[in-house]
Amino acid sequence: MSTSSACFMSSSSLRGYGGGCGGILAASDGLLAGNEKLTMQNLNDRLASYLDKVRALEAANGKLEVKICDWYQKQGPGLSRDYSHYYKTIQDLQDQILGATIESSRIVLQIDNSRLAADDFRTKFETEQVLRMSMEADINGLRRVLDELTLVRTDLEMQIEGLKEELAYPKKNHEEELSVLRGQVGGQVSVEVDSAPGTDLAKILSDMRSQYEVMAEQNWKDAEA
């Protein structure tokens, strides 16, 4: 192998190394599409660091290539040595860079999956929160209805008590008048008077109580529902 051929092969190997790394980075960029700005910035910084390492290795290989070429020129064209072990070192470095890039892509996928899971939990939480607020509003409305029904019930009970008192007073007067009339006639004269039947307050009160109980039961069932 001559000096010029050795230098040409080393440059080709470096160009192949750089091209392979560029392809890996392009594939990694494809995997990173759609992430948030902070994650993208972090990954871009990592990729930039990897590129800097690659450039540093290329520069070191270029210096090594120059030294090899200089040595060949000094030793003469007849002397040749085996530098295959350098290619193995370069290949190992390429494998390490490829493994680091694959690991970075795997971490990016895990971050993306975690973000999707967090968004799902956030959506569920917001839905449950809206449902809870709606139920609390309904409960508060039913409490107001229950308070109104309680006031209505109290008012009806007071009206019933008032009607009872009004009924007791005419009844008492009627009994007193009957007693006076019986005392005057001595129980010997029977007087029949045709008159229109009076208002049955007891029946009216009973009807009002029945209507109130039906209405209260229906409102209570509506409140429970």
Side-chain angles (χ1 to χ4, degrees):
M1 180 183 295
S2 64
T3 303
S4 60
S5 63
C7 293
F8 177 76
M9 289 179 66
S10 178
S11 298
S12 299
S13 175
L14 288 175
R15 285 195 298 271
Y17 171 70
C21 183
I24 294 169
L25 294 176
S28 177
D29 288 339
L31 291 174
L32 295 178
N35 284 337
E36 296 177 354
K37 291 183 178 180
L38 183 60
T39 306
M40 289 293 296
Q41 183 64 37
N42 187 14
L43 295 175
N44 287 334
D45 293 340
R46 292 185 182 180
L47 292 176
S49 176
Y50 293 150
L51 289 174
D52 291 338
K53 291 181 181 180
V54 171
R55 293 190 185 96
L57 290 174
E58 289 179 349
N61 289 334
K63 292 180 181 179
L64 181 62
E65 179 182 356
V66 171
K67 290 182 180 179
I68 292 173
C69 291
D70 292 338
W71 186 87
Y72 268 109
Q73 291 175 359
K74 291 179 182 180
Q75 297 297 326
L79 185 62
S80 63
R81 296 181 63 181
D82 183 14
Y83 295 98
S84 60
H85 60 282
Y86 291 111
Y87 299 142
K88 185 178 184 303
T89 302
I90 293 172
Q91 184 63 39
D92 291 340
L93 292 175
Q94 288 179 340
D95 294 338
Q96 291 178 9
I97 293 173
L98 178 61
T101 303
I102 293 174
E103 180 65 18
S104 176
S105 300
R106 186 181 65 82
I107 293 173
V108 169
L109 290 176
Q110 290 180 353
I111 292 173
D112 187 58
N113 291 333
S114 299
R115 183 180 62 82
L116 292 176
D119 292 339
D120 185 44
F121 283 120
R122 186 182 299 109
T123 302
K124 291 181 179 179
F125 171 75
E126 292 175 353
T127 302
E128 293 294 334
Q129 191 175 23
V130 171
L131 181 61
R132 176 187 174 185
M133 294 175 65
S134 176
M135 293 298 296
E136 288 178 350
D138 293 339
I139 291 172
N140 292 330
L142 291 175
R143 285 176 178 173
R144 288 193 295 270
V145 172
L146 183 60
D147 293 338
E148 293 175 358
L149 292 176
T150 303
L151 293 176
V152 171
R153 176 181 177 180
T154 303
D155 184 59
L156 291 175
E157 289 178 350
M158 292 176 64
Q159 292 180 13
I160 291 172
E161 293 297 329
L163 292 174
K164 285 182 178 180
E165 292 178 358
E166 293 178 2
L167 179 62
Y169 181 73
K171 185 177 181 181
K172 181 178 180 182
N173 289 336
H174 179 67
E175 290 177 353
E176 291 177 353
E177 291 176 358
L178 287 177
S179 298
V180 172
L181 291 174
R182 288 173 181 171
Q184 291 178 356
V185 299
Q188 296 180 356
V189 180
S190 176
V191 180
E192 294 182 0
V193 180
D194 293 334
S195 62
T199 303
D200 191 353
L201 295 178
K203 185 176 185 302
I204 293 174
L205 290 175
S206 178
D207 293 339
M208 290 178 63
R209 182 181 295 275
S210 299
Q211 292 177 0
Y212 164 73
E213 289 177 354
V214 171
M215 183 178 64
E217 183 179 1
Q218 182 63 35
N219 291 331
W220 182 255
K221 290 181 179 179
D222 294 339
E224 287 183 349

